[in-house]
Amino acid sequence: MKSKTNNLNYKIIKLRSIDNGSNGMLSFFENNIDYNFEIKRFYYIYGASAGSERGFHAHKKLKQLLFCPHGKIEVTLMNENEKTIIILDEPNKGLIIEPCTWREIKWIQQNAVLCVAVSDFYDESDYIRDFEEYLEYLGGLSNENTG
Ligand code: T46
């Protein structure tokens, strides 16, 4: 597993893959080996037009593994002082997003598919969907850590 870490709380991983020649590739991942959480939910987004944008939120506690098995998707990650853009365009490229990271997702290619494996059940109270509120939330966390 190759990985890259950054001050923003994310990691790009190369998903383990088996090459079966002309019969195709098989990629896989396993709890607590390829990422440091247990998957409780899996969802996927498809049928989006090129230029569609989703996300625009952060999670308080949820950990996520994203990958794009078909097409091309741009993921922008941000916190209070950093921003980075990650392109998901290979079926074996995984993006782990840790909690408290703002994300915006843009469909570069029509009908690209975004798959997401996550650490918990759906809970709207885990979402922060307003950027100002997100910055306030981060401020509260750093006060907790310094106080
Ligand atoms: C994320 C990005 C990458 C459910 O009822 N159950 C679910 O498991 C999910 C993920 C969503 N929903 C409902 C909540 C909304 O009424 O489906 C609707 C669309 O969800 P949302 O607007 O949050 O979709 P995205 O694409 O902006 O965000 C989703 C995930 O919600 C989010 O966790 O990180 O994909």
Side-chain angles (χ1 to χ4, degrees):
M1 180 181 74
K2 289 182 189 162
S3 67
K4 170 183 177 292
T5 51
N6 188 294
N7 289 335
L8 263 173
N9 238 340
Y10 76 94
K11 190 188 283 186
I12 295 167
I13 62 171
K14 188 167 182 183
L15 299 174
R16 290 181 282 160
S17 302
I18 309 290
D19 185 349
N20 294 126
S22 60
N23 286 331
M25 302 285 294
L26 184 155
S27 293
F28 62 96
F29 43 82
E30 295 175 298
N31 284 343
N32 297 316
I33 297 176
D34 298 286
Y35 40 84
N36 66 346
F37 59 90
E38 307 243 336
I39 292 172
K40 284 197 182 160
R41 177 165 53 104
F42 185 91
Y43 62 88
Y44 48 102
I45 301 168
Y46 53 94
S49 309
S52 298
E53 292 182 284
R54 305 185 63 115
F56 298 92
H57 61 256
H59 285 281
K60 294 174 188 166
K61 293 193 175 148
L62 195 73
K63 298 180 179 196
Q64 300 174 297
L65 167 62
L66 289 74
F67 60 100
C68 173
H70 173 76
K72 187 171 180 177
I73 289 170
E74 180 187 278
V75 182
T76 301
L77 299 178
M78 273 184 256
N79 61 17
E80 69 273 58
N81 48 28
E82 283 185 80
K83 176 177 175 174
T84 193
I85 293 179
I86 294 147
I87 301 293
L88 296 180
D89 58 353
E90 295 166 71
N92 66 346
K93 183 174 182 179
L95 170 62
I96 294 167
I97 307 179
E98 297 287 344
C100 298
T101 309
W102 187 265
R103 85 284 319 270
E104 299 176 1
I105 302 160
K106 186 172 182 179
W107 262 249
I108 303 299
Q109 201 177 316
Q110 173 143 357
N111 287 330
V113 178
L114 179 65
C115 293
V116 191
V118 300
S119 62
D120 217 335
F121 302 117
Y122 177 72
D123 176 7
E124 185 59 36
S125 71
D126 188 65
Y127 285 74
I128 307 171
R129 294 188 183 270
D130 177 87
F131 194 70
E132 289 304 314
E133 201 183 306
Y134 165 66
L135 294 179
E136 281 169 26
Y137 184 80
L138 290 184
L141 289 182
S142 35
N143 288 343
E144 265 175 37
N145 292 336
T146 53

